[in-house]
C-alpha cells in the first residue's frame, strides 16, 4: 500500500493511521449526543437551567459551523498533521475545563468555545490526512471507517452518557475525552503528512464574512424551536410580524452571498481566496456535498426523534435507550467496511442511491409502526435499515468529494464538507423538533377540546396557554403536573390519553418530514460519479 504522497506504508501502519483518524472523528461526534441524556443532571450540578445547558450544546455547534472553513485553511498553512495535533490539544483543554467547570460560564468557555475551535481544526485535517495517507482506490474504505466512527459515536453517546451519569458523574465523560486525546496524540506520530509548500495567504475579510454568515444562519435555525419558523411564538422576538428566525436566516444567506462575491473579486485580482469559488462549479464535489447535507439532516433528525420516543414516550432509562439504538451501529459499521472491501469497483452512484433508499425505507417503516400501544422493539428493524443506509453513504461520499479536486485542496474541501454536515445536522434537528412540537400542540389541543371528561374552563385555559407549544412530556411528568394543579382523576386520565396520542402524532409528523427529505435527496444522486477514483489522483 502507498500513501497519497507515494511513500510505501505497511498494512499495520495503515491500520494505526485509520485508528488514529477514526478515533478523532469518534471524539468529535461524541459530544453531539453523549450529554443529551444528562442535561437535567448537569443543570442541577451547575446551579443553572436546562435551557442554559441546551444553549451550551447549541453554542458548540455554532462555533464549529463558524470556523470550520477557516480551520481547513489553517491546516494548509501549518500542515495537516500539525493542525490535527494542535486541534487535539485545544480540544483536550476544553474537555478538561468542562470536566472541572463550577458554573455555566466556565462550561461555555470549555465546551462551546475551546472544544468548538479544536473541532474546527481537527475535522478538516482528518479529511486531508486520509487523502494524504491512502491512495485513491483505498480511500472509500478509509473514509467509510472514519465516517462510521462518527455515526457510531452518536449511537453510543446515550449509553456512555447514561452509564457515566447514573453510576459516576457526567464530568467523567469529559475527563475520559482528555485520556482519549492523549492516546490519539501518541498514535499520531505514525500519520504521514505532506509538508506545506508555499505559505498560503489567509483571507481575513473572507474568514469574517463566512464565519458571520454561517453563524447567523445556524443560530437562526437553532432558535426555531423557541421562536417559531415563520409566525412568532408568544413573547418571541419578531420584526414586521415575522419570526426573527426568518430574518436571521436571510441575513446569514446574504452574508454568505457577499462572501462569495468577495472571493470572486479576489480571484479576479489574482489574489488567494479563502475558498475558491470555482469549487462550487464542480459537479462531482457539489453532488457529494449535497448528499452529505441530506445524510446528516435525516441522520440527526432520526437521532433526535428515536431517543425521544424511547426515553420519554416509553419511559426507558438512558441506558436502555442507548441499547435500543445499538442495532443502527451494527449495520452502519458492516456496510461502511464491507462495501469497499467486497465491492471495490462498484458504482458510487448506485451505492449512494441504495443508501438513500434504505434510509427512506427505515424511516417509513418506523413511521408506520409507531402507535400508542407499541413498545421499544418496533425501532429495531427501522434502525437496522437506517444504519445500513448511513453506512452505504459513509463508504462512498468522503472519497467522492476529495477525489473531485487535487490533493492539495483536500483540507479546503474538508472544511467545506464539515460545514455542510454541521448545517445539515442543525437543520435536521431543528426541523424535526419544530414539526414535532407544532403537530403535537395541534393534536393535544384538539384532543382536549373533544374530550367530554375535561371541564370547559380547563379547555379554554389550555387553548390559550399552550399556543406557544406543548412540551414533550412523559406520562409521569404530566401526571405529577396535574396532581400539583389539583386535577380530578377523570381529567387526569383524559389528559394522559390526549398527551399519548399527541406525542405519537408529533413523532409521525417529524418522521414524515425526514422521509420527504430522503425523497428530495434522490433527485441529486445523478451528480455522483459512476466510477470509483483510481490511483492516478487529480
Amino acid at each position: 500500500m502507498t500513501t497519497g504522497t507515494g511513500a510505501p506504508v505497511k498494512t499495520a501502519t495503515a491500520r494505526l493511521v485509520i485508528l488514529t483518524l477514526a478515533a478523532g472523528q469518534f471524539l468529535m461526534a461524541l459530544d453531539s449526543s453523549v450529554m443529551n441524556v444528562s442535561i437535567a443532571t448537569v443543570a442541577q450540578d451547575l446551579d443553572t437551567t436546562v435551557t442554559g445547558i441546551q444553549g451550551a450544546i447549541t453554542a458548540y455547534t455554532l462555533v464549529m459551523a463558524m470556523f470550520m472553513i477557516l480551520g481547513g485553511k489553517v491546516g494548509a498553512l501549518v500542515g495537516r498533521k500539525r493542525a490535527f495535533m494542535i486541534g487535539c490539544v485545544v480540544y483536550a483543554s476544553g474537555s478538561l475545563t468542562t470536566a472541572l467547570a463550577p458554573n455555566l460560564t466556565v462550561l461555555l468557555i470549555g465546551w462551546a468555545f475551546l472544544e468548538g475551535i479544536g473541532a474546527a481544526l481537527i475535522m478538516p485535517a482528518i479529511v486531508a490526512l486520509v487523502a494524504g495517507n491512502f491512495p485513491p482506490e483505498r480511500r472509500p474504505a478509509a473514509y467509510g471507517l472514519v465516517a462510521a466512527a462518527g455515526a457510531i459515536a452518536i449511537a453510543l453517546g446515550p449509553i456512555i452518557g447514561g452509564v457515566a451519569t447514573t453510576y459516576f458523574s457526567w464530568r467523567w465523560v469529559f475527563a475520559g475525552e482528555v485520556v482519549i486525546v492523549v492516546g490519539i496524540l501518541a498514535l499520531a506520530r505514525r500519520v504521514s503528512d505532506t509538508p506545506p509548500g508555499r505559505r498560503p495567504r489567509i483571507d481575513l475579510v473572507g474568514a469574517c464574512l463566512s464565519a458571520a454568515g454561517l453563524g447567523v444562519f445556524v443560530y437562526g435555525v437553532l432558535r426555531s424551536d423557541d421562536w417559531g419558523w415563520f409566525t412568532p411564538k408568544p413573547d418571541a422576538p419578531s420584526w414586521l410580524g415575522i419570526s426573527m428566525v426568518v430574518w436571521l436566516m436571510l441575513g446569514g444567506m446574504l452574508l454568505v452571498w457577499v462572501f462569495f462575491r468577495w472571493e470572486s473579486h479576489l480571484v479576479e485580482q489574482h489574489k488567494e481566496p479563502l475558498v475558491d469559488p470555482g469549487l462550487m462549479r464542480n459537479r462531482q464535489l457539489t453532488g457529494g456535498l449535497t448528499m452529505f447535507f441530506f445524510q446528516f439532516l435525516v441522520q440527526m433528525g432520526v437521532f433526535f426523534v428515536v431517543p425521544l420516543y424511547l426515553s420519554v414516550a416509553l419511559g426507558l432509562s438512558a441506558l436502555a435507550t442507548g441499547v435500543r439504538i445499538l442495532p443502527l451501529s451494527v449495520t452502519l459499521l458492516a456496510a461502511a467496511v464491507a462495501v469497499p472491501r467486497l465491492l471495490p469497483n462498484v458504482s458510487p452512484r448506485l451505492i449512494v442511491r441504495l443508501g438513500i433508499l434504505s434510509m427512506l425505507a427505515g424511516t417509513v417503516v418506523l413511521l408506520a409502526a409507531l402507535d400508542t400501544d407499541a413498545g421499544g422493539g418496533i425501532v429495531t428493524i427501522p434502525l437496522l435499515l437506517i444504519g445500513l443506509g448511513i453506512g452505504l453513504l459513509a463508504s462512498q461520499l468522503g472519497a467522492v468529494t476529495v477525489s473531485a479536486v487535487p490533493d492539495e485542496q483536500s483540507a479546503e474541501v474538508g472544511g467545506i464538507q464539515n460545514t455542510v454536515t454541521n448545517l445539515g445536522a442543525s437543520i435536521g434537528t431543528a426541523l424535526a423538533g419544530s414539526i414535532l412540537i407544532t403537530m403535537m400542540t395541534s393534536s393535544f389541543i384538539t384532543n382536549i377540546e373533544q374530550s367530554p371528561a375535561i371541564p370547559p374552563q380547563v379547555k379554554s385555559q389550555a387553548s390559550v396557554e399552550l399556543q406557544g407549544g406543548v412540551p414533550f412530556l412523559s406520562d409521569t411528568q404530566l401526571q405529577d403536573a396535574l396532581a400539583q394543579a389539583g386535577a380530578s382523576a377523570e381529567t387526569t386520565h383524559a389528559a394522559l390519553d390526549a398527551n399519548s396520542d399527541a406525542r405519537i402524532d408529533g413523532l409521525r409528523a417529524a418522521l414524515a418530514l425526514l422521509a420527504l427529505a430522503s425523497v428530495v435527496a434522490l433527485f441529486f444522486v445523478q451528480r455522483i460519479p459512476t466510477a470509483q477514483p483510481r490511483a492516478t489522483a487529480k
Side-chain angles (χ1 to χ4, degrees), residues 352-504:
V352 169
R353 182 177 285 119
L354 291 175
I356 296 294
L357 288 172
S358 184
M359 292 175 68
L360 172 62
T363 306
V364 171
V365 170
L366 181 57
L367 169 62
L370 277 181
D371 192 81
T372 53
D373 298 325
I378 66 162
V379 305
T380 302
I381 299 300
L383 288 183
L384 287 171
L385 288 169
I386 293 170
L388 175 64
I390 296 172
L392 290 172
L393 292 171
S395 73
Q396 305 298 317
L397 290 183
V400 165
T401 56
V402 174
S403 66
V405 299
D407 282 351
E408 57 267 23
Q409 289 185 296
S410 57
E412 186 175 348
V413 168
I416 299 171
Q417 174 182 305
N418 284 294
T419 298
V420 168
T421 57
N422 274 296
L423 190 61
S426 300
I427 292 177
T429 303
L431 276 176
S434 180
I435 294 297
L436 185 151
I437 296 300
T438 299
M439 179 57 70
M440 192 172 71
T441 300
S442 174
S443 177
F444 185 76
I445 292 176
T446 300
N447 293 340
I448 290 292
E449 290 176 346
Q450 293 177 349
S451 175
I454 297 178
Q457 65 271 22
V458 175
K459 294 179 181 179
S460 176
Q461 184 179 3
S463 296
V464 173
E465 293 185 358
L466 299 177
Q467 286 299 324
V470 174
F472 199 89
L473 299 176
S474 67
D475 289 344
T476 301
Q477 290 171 317
L478 180 59
Q479 201 164 8
D480 291 344
L482 291 170
Q484 292 177 6
S488 66
E490 188 177 13
T491 299
T492 298
H493 182 72
L496 287 172
D497 286 343
N499 184 51
S500 179
D501 290 338
R503 277 192 315 234
I504 297 300

Side-chain angles (χ1 to χ4, degrees), residues 179-195:
V179 176
I180 294 174
V181 169
V182 171
I184 291 173
L185 290 173
L187 292 172
R189 60 191 179 86
R190 297 294 189 95
V191 178
S192 299
D193 189 18
T194 304

Side-chain angles (χ1 to χ4, degrees), residues 33 74 87 99 101 133 157-158 202 241 249 300 312 326 334 388 407 436 478 508-509 520 536:
S33 64
V74 170
N133 282 266
I202 296 293
M249 292 175 65
M300 295 308 296
V312 179
L326 271 180
L388 175 64
D407 282 351
L436 185 151
L478 180 59
R508 285 173 175 164
V520 173
T536 303

Side-chain angles (χ1 to χ4, degrees), residues 18 22 137-152 295 299 328-344 346 351 355 384 386-399 532:
I18 202 63
E137 67 272 12
R138 296 294 299 275
R139 288 176 193 166
Y143 282 119
L145 287 170
V146 169
I152 289 172
Q295 175 196 330
Q299 175 180 313
L328 180 143
S329 299
V330 175
T331 48
L332 189 159
L333 186 59
V337 173
V339 171
R341 179 171 297 179
L342 301 178
L343 301 169
V346 71
I351 296 299
L384 287 171
I386 293 170
L388 175 64
I390 296 172
L392 290 172
L393 292 171
S395 73
Q396 305 298 317
L397 290 183
Q532 292 287 344

Side-chain angles (χ1 to χ4, degrees), residues 255-275:
L255 285 171
V256 171
W257 177 81
V258 173
F259 164 71
F260 277 110
R261 292 304 306 157
W262 171 255
E263 299 302 283
S264 297
H265 170 72
L266 291 181
V267 172
E268 291 171 359
Q269 298 295 315
H270 303 290
K271 297 179 181 179
E272 185 172 355
L274 185 69
V275 173

Side-chain angles (χ1 to χ4, degrees), residues 130-280:
V130 170
N133 282 266
F134 296 89
E137 67 272 12
R138 296 294 299 275
R139 288 176 193 166
Y143 282 119
L145 287 170
V146 169
I152 289 172
I154 295 173
L156 291 180
I159 294 181
I160 297 171
V163 169
T165 303
T166 302
Y167 299 108
F168 306 102
S169 167
W170 60 271
R171 297 179 186 274
W172 285 102
V173 175
F174 293 95
E177 288 185 347
V178 177
V179 176
I180 294 174
V181 169
V182 171
I184 291 173
L185 290 173
L187 292 172
R189 60 191 179 86
R190 297 294 189 95
V191 178
S192 299
D193 189 18
T194 304
R198 62 180 184 83
R199 294 178 63 86
R201 171 184 173 273
I202 296 293
D203 172 21
L204 294 179
V205 174
C208 292
L209 286 171
S210 66
L214 291 168
V216 169
F217 183 89
V218 173
Y219 181 72
V221 171
L222 293 173
R223 297 297 304 191
S224 61
D225 283 352
D226 299 322
W227 295 350
W229 280 99
F230 298 102
T231 302
K233 292 184 178 182
D235 300 323
S238 63
W239 187 41
L240 301 178
I242 300 174
S243 171
M244 284 303 298
V245 168
V246 173
W247 300 113
L248 286 171
M249 292 175 65
L250 288 175
M253 288 190 288
L254 178 61
L255 285 171
V256 171
W257 177 81
V258 173
F259 164 71
F260 277 110
R261 292 304 306 157
W262 171 255
E263 299 302 283
S264 297
H265 170 72
L266 291 181
V267 172
E268 291 171 359
Q269 298 295 315
H270 303 290
K271 297 179 181 179
E272 185 172 355
L274 185 69
V275 173
D276 182 0
L279 291 176
M280 297 300 103

